[in-house]
Amino acid sequence: MNPVWLPVVVVQGAWLRSTLRLASAPGGGVSGTVPGPEAEPLRLAVLGDSTAAGCGVTDGEEAFAASLARELAARTRRPVDWQAVGQFGATSRRIRFQLVPRLNKNLDLVVLLAGANDVLAGRGPDLWREDLTGILAGLTRRAHRVAVVGLPPFTLFPAIPATLARYLGERAAALDAVTREVCCDHPRTSFIDQPAGTPPPDFFSIDRFHPSTHGYRFWARDVADRLCLGQPAP
């Protein structure tokens, strides 16, 4: 970004911090089972920040982890035992040292939703690389497969002013570039881009920052499609 715009970024950032009222994590369980006709369950965990925790909806069954579990059950015909381990405001450092140890072991798949708070906190690519590498080292010891989802398109967030959103988007792109490199260095780990294009009109929740019920469902469907499990879409 042209440095001439940085004072605008500072002003818009201060305005956003003073006015934004973010949704809290939902009630309901942080684990569950989606039934399926096959006998062997798929063991899934979703790890990360407020999106992993389900902020933006009122019930855990409406959040990303449960939505992804339903999508995977429909594609694989297997039951899906799912677990969500997320925390509002969690950076990659907190995820690495506080949240990874809370995951179950012997998992089939872990999906990592992280990095947005690193962008918002001004943590740079070097710190992100260090902590993401540590996270993936822990996850590959717990799971057969790991998927890291790319950072959100800040320029599409209704709550974020345009110049600030562009600045955050550039920082996010730098972290995503590191993520692709780190994923290539870890076995059984893949990078999944955010859905292309403009999200549907009802994607965002009332706080205009986190996904809504429909947003989490849309996002989970896209991630399930790109996990390439070799099963037809429902």
Side-chain angles (χ1 to χ4, degrees), residues 130-232:
E130 177 186 345
D131 286 324
L132 179 62
T133 299
I135 290 169
L136 295 184
L139 295 185
T140 53
R141 291 193 293 267
R142 292 172 176 267
H144 176 71
R145 186 178 183 188
V146 177
V148 183
V149 178
L151 282 157
F154 286 101
T155 54
L156 299 178
F157 280 40
I160 303 179
T163 302
L164 175 60
R166 180 183 163 201
Y167 172 76
L168 295 175
E170 290 177 0
R171 294 184 62 87
L175 297 197
D176 271 348
V178 170
T179 303
R180 289 183 176 90
E181 295 175 5
V182 173
C183 287
C184 287
D185 293 335
H186 284 77
R188 309 184 311 279
T189 301
S190 58
F191 176 82
I192 297 178
D193 279 310
Q194 287 283 339
T198 304
D202 55 0
F203 183 89
F204 289 97
S205 70
I206 193 171
D207 70 4
R208 304 169 67 235
F209 190 90
H210 291 102
S212 65
T213 300
H214 298 293
Y216 279 124
R217 191 178 301 152
F218 171 85
W219 190 15
R221 187 180 303 119
D222 182 84
V223 169
D225 283 342
R226 294 203 263 162
L227 283 169
C228 299
L229 294 176
Q231 298 292 332

Side-chain angles (χ1 to χ4, degrees), residues 49-76:
D49 54 26
S50 57
T51 53
C55 291
V57 297
T58 58
D59 191 300
E61 289 293 329
E62 301 173 345
F64 180 85
S67 297
L68 181 61
R70 288 190 290 269
E71 295 292 338
L72 294 179
R75 285 159 174 75
T76 64

Side-chain angles (χ1 to χ4, degrees), residues 4-30:
V4 74
W5 290 106
L6 292 180
V8 179
V9 168
V10 172
V11 171
Q12 290 185 348
W15 175 85
L16 186 66
R17 286 191 295 272
S18 67
T19 60
L20 189 60
R21 299 294 180 264
L22 295 175
S24 59
V30 293

Side-chain angles (χ1 to χ4, degrees), residues 54-114:
C55 291
V57 297
T58 58
D59 191 300
E61 289 293 329
E62 301 173 345
F64 180 85
S67 297
L68 181 61
R70 288 190 290 269
E71 295 292 338
L72 294 179
R75 285 159 174 75
T76 64
R77 297 178 57 81
R78 294 171 63 183
V80 178
D81 294 334
W82 62 270
Q83 174 193 23
V85 177
Q87 189 173 91
F88 183 91
T91 62
S92 56
R93 179 59 55 95
R94 186 179 301 175
I95 293 168
R96 176 184 178 184
F97 291 108
Q98 297 184 22
L99 302 190
V100 170
R102 291 167 48 187
L103 288 175
N104 295 333
K105 297 181 180 179
N106 300 317
L107 295 161
D108 293 300
L109 171 66
V110 177
V111 175
L112 177 65
L113 310 178

